[in-house]
Structure formats: C-alpha cells, structure tokens
Amino acid sequence: MSTTALPLLREAAEQQLQLLSAAAGLPPANQRRLQQVFSLLSGDALDRPAEPHYPGLSHINASGLPLQWSVAAGEPLPSVRFLTECGPVGAPGPERLANSFARLRQAARLIGAADAAREAEQLTRQHLLPDAWPVHWRSALWTAAGAADNQIALKIYCNLTAGDPASRWRRAGQLLATLGRATALESLCHCSRLASRDSWPAGIAIALSPFGIGGVKIYFRSGAVETTSWLSRWYLACGYPHAEEHARLLLEIFAPPSRTPAPPGAIVVSLEFPPGDRPPALKTELELNRPSPTEQTTAARVRQLLHRMAIPAGPYEDALAALAPPGHQPTIHRLIGLRTDPSGTRRANIYLEPPAPALPPARPRLSRRAANPNRPEVSRAGLAWLAARRHPAGGWSGFALPVGPADHWVTAYVAFHTGLGCEDLAALRGPHGAWGYNATTPEDADSTALAALALARAGRPVDVRRFLASCYRDDGGVATYPPGTPPGGAWCESTVDVTPVVAECLSPPDPARTLAWLLGRQRPDGLWNGYWWVSPLYPTWWVARVFGPHLPPAPRQRLLDAITGWSPTGAFEQALLVLTRRELGLSFAAQQDALARLQRPDGSWEPGAWLRLPDPACREPWSKLASGPCYLDHDGVFTTATALGALAETAPGSRPSPRPFPIPRNAP
C-alpha cells in the first residue's frame, strides 16, 4: 500500500479526541473549543500519513509520533489531556519555536488566556532559552491542553538541557523569582541543598489559564545512576517520606528495584509549584516497556497499581476503550507518574501513545495449548523441565543473592509444590536438624517448614519441632531466624510471610494470639505485605491457606474483595491468585486456564518471583524506597514450581489444604 493511501494521523487523532471527550462527559460547547485548540496545536505535525515511524520530529514517543494522550486517575473530575508539538515536520528548531508560540497565542485566545500566553512566552525567552540554539534540540517547546467540565487549560514544556547543572538550577530559580513566587523559590533552594547531588534539571512546564500563569513544574533526572536511594532523597527533601511507599510500589510493579540501576532517563521526578504559598507537589514518572512486555501485561500492571493505591480505574478503562476498541491494535503505554501533594490525594497519570490507525484490526491469537489446564501434557512438560534442571548433586537453585544462590530453600519449595527432590532434602539438612537458604547461611524457619511439609507429604516425616518452636515470638508470630542469629534486627522478628508456613507445620502454642497478630497486620485493602516478598499475594495466599476458615467476617470480606479485583502480573502472581481463590472458595477456572496458557514451549513459566533482601534495620520494607535490593528468580525454577503447584492443587480430586489446629470461636 502506498503512503498516499494511508489515513492521515490528524483524522484518526481527531476521532480519538471526540471519543475521549464523550467518555469524560465534556459539555458539547467545550468539546468544540477543545477540538479547535487541538487542531491549532497539532495540525501541522499530524498532517501526514500514518506510518510506523515519523522522522523529523522530537521524541514525544519513541516512534516520533507527535501525540500522547494523558489519563488522570484520582482527579475529582474526568478530563481529556494531550501532549503534542507544533510546526512543520523537519523545520529547524528556531522556526518550530516561533510557530509554536504563534499557535499557542491563537489557542490561548480561544480559552481567554491571551495574557498568560504572552507572559509565558516572555518568561521562556528570558530565562529558559540559551543564547545559542543547541544542535540536539529538535524542538524547544511542546504544548499540551487539558479539559474538564467547562474549563480548558494550556501548558508549555521547554527543554532545560543546555549548560551545566548549576546553571540550569539557577535558570529555574530566576523564573520563579521573576514571577514573584518567593515561597516557591525558598522551597526550590531547600530541595536543592538536600537533593541536588546527581540531579539535573531537564525541563520546565508552565501552565496557562484565564486566571494567568498557573503551576510551574521543574523536571529532574539523575546525572549519575537512577536508584532507589536517589528517589528516596527527593521524597525526604520535599517532606513526603510517607509517600515513599507509593514510589516503591510503582517500581515494584513496573521495574522491581534490584542492584541494576534504571536506564538513563527512565525515572524522572518533578516539583510542581502552584500559585500562592502552597507547598510544591512531587511527582515520580517511570518510562514503561523497559524491557518491553506485552501491552496487555502493562495494562494489567496499571490496573494493579491503581487497585493497590485505591485509585478509581474508571478514567483509565474509559480511555482504553475509546482509543483501542476490541479487535484493534492496543494502545501503547509510554509513561506512568504518581503525584504527591500536601492534601494527601493519590493521583496517577498514564501517558498513552495512540494506536496506529493504518493497521487493520488484530486477528485473535490462537493459543498454542488447549484451554483445559488439566490436560496431562501441561504438568508433564513442566515437571520434565524442572527435572532437567536438577543439579547433578541434587536439588535446584535460584535467586543470585550476594551470599550465593538459594539451593536448600528452593529445593524445599520445589519439593513442597511438586513432590520432586524429596530424596535430596535429607542430604541438605543442616547441623541443627533444620534447613536454610543455602549451605553458607544459618538455618531458618521458612526453609525448614517447607522441607518438613514436603517430606511429610512424601511419607518421610522429620522432627523439626524444637527448631521451629524457637522461632515463635511472644507476639504470636514467627521470625525467619531464631533470636540472636546474625545480623539480627527485623530478620529475627515476626513476619507475615513466614508465620503461616510454620503454623501449618507446627501448630502455634496460642493459635488465637497468632491469628490476632496476623489480623493486626492486614492492610486496609484486605491483603498482607510480605517482608521478603515484593508481591503481597505470596503472604496473602499462605494466610488464606492456613487461617482462611478462622478469619472473622469483616477481615475475610476485605480479603475477598481484594482477591476478586486483583489483576495479576506474570505467571507467579497468576499462580498465587489461583491458589488463593481456591482457599477462599472462589471460582478459579478462568484464572487456572490463563495460567496454563502462560506456559512456555519448553514447559516452563516466565520468571516472575521477586525476592526482597531488606536491611535488617528496616521493619517495613514495602514502605521504603531504599530498604534493600530485590532479586528475580532468573531461571524460572521458583515460578514454574509455583505454577505446577497451583495446577495440581486445583485439579479435580485434589486434596484440601490441611487445617492443623482449632481456634476458639471467641477469638478476635
């Protein structure tokens, strides 16, 4: 097909704008004004055929497509937002800049913000643009608009990547000083003292409305490596340490933090200074699709993030439905940002590249495997894959931690779920009659309980009562290590992800006290955080497995609501969801089928289990950015064992989970 026969980007984008405006419930008059603003700001750049790549433009998207839609979840009113650029394709930067300001003035007049546009242009030329035009600047100005109800606001985005970091900080401060925003300037100076190390100002956004210049947002990237400690410093500098939990959640869902730093430019923080004396808002933005998962996986991760932050997902779902109806190419997720402000409101912005209008509707993918997850070949292939990865000396390993891979613990876990390797466990038993992470680490309660449970299933029971009893704490929970085991700290304190595992193996001395301790750690959304695990589904499954029948009505209902609405990311969470739904008496056939379809051609499942290695001084690692690195089961042994266990435990005729102890009816 020749390019002249392809539809124009402008036509497809205008149709998308109409659908988004209708989904947001914009009044007809405001829809028409927004359409005019859109045509003014994006008309030149979008007046071209739809193609796979768009050279001659700055990279709003990696393909060069000069348009992104932004979905604001958590805002009080539904809105329509877009980011674009002005000017003829391939024109020199200074020419595009002049064109952008001309179009901006026209758009501003439409919404009654002409004065604000003139002031913004003056500020940009005076403080933000360098004397000599940098060669790498394809466009110095991006433009954006947002509409909600009867209001429309504009925003300009200007590069701040010329000159050394100190000069960029100064230019940002001079702009605030010219605006007369003394409080904002003081806040910027305060943050610069605490967070300027390795932080390079990269851009500035200025909001325009009929009321004048609105918020000023300054974007920062890391000049060295982008790590959790860099982000943590920003949250502390801005006075939002409580919001670190949100940033940690963002990273754990989309880019689990490990010892490998994020790619350059993948993480950006911004300070938004509103008019008046209000404190700034802090926003963390993460580039998505690094490495590139499927868009369906990314969408599932977005849903999970919104669910776990209690942010309504309606605007996001409406946008996906408008941009990519069933049968069409999926919308491409580019960025996601979390905003924290003094009000404590939780907000998320999801930036979407429109799907290519030139491509025909996607044909349904035929599954490589039959839909029935109980077909023998599913389990046979997985068990054969595991057997082929058994070490010559016996057992399996995974998780490349600084102390080495986990062989004793992973072997116990594989044996627990599949029955394989039980003959290897006896040889791996430690000097105190228990098991540990590997031969170089102390014995621990989690590894020991898993090994004992696996051997008991195989008809080879072992006595580990003395060791496990030493790990029970006075609060009713179970610690990973007995008291006095180095390095101590939280590693020797009760944890949710170990307590129910041990309770299944050795009944608690006071079951009601143990249950009360667990209930005191249930999250408001109904799940449980794990000390050693990134995903809350792992500890939640164990709680449901061992204590599910004993949960009081209200905590149980919260758990049911959370599990019913959970969107799993990857095979590990999909398997845990199957197991948890089974324990709670929920239907699991659809989730079981989805898990079977995720099996790879070689019989394994893609690695998805992220193990956290917290600092022993940190008691709530899920709420801190710099609590310690996370490690993936890089070879997939742990994930594959979990998947096989889930399919086995939910197969027809499978045995019910054990209920090892009674709890009095009057227990809390």
Side-chain angles (χ1 to χ4, degrees), residues 80-94:
V80 180
R81 303 181 182 196
F82 64 84
L83 173 67
T84 187
E85 56 181 313
C86 306
V89 175

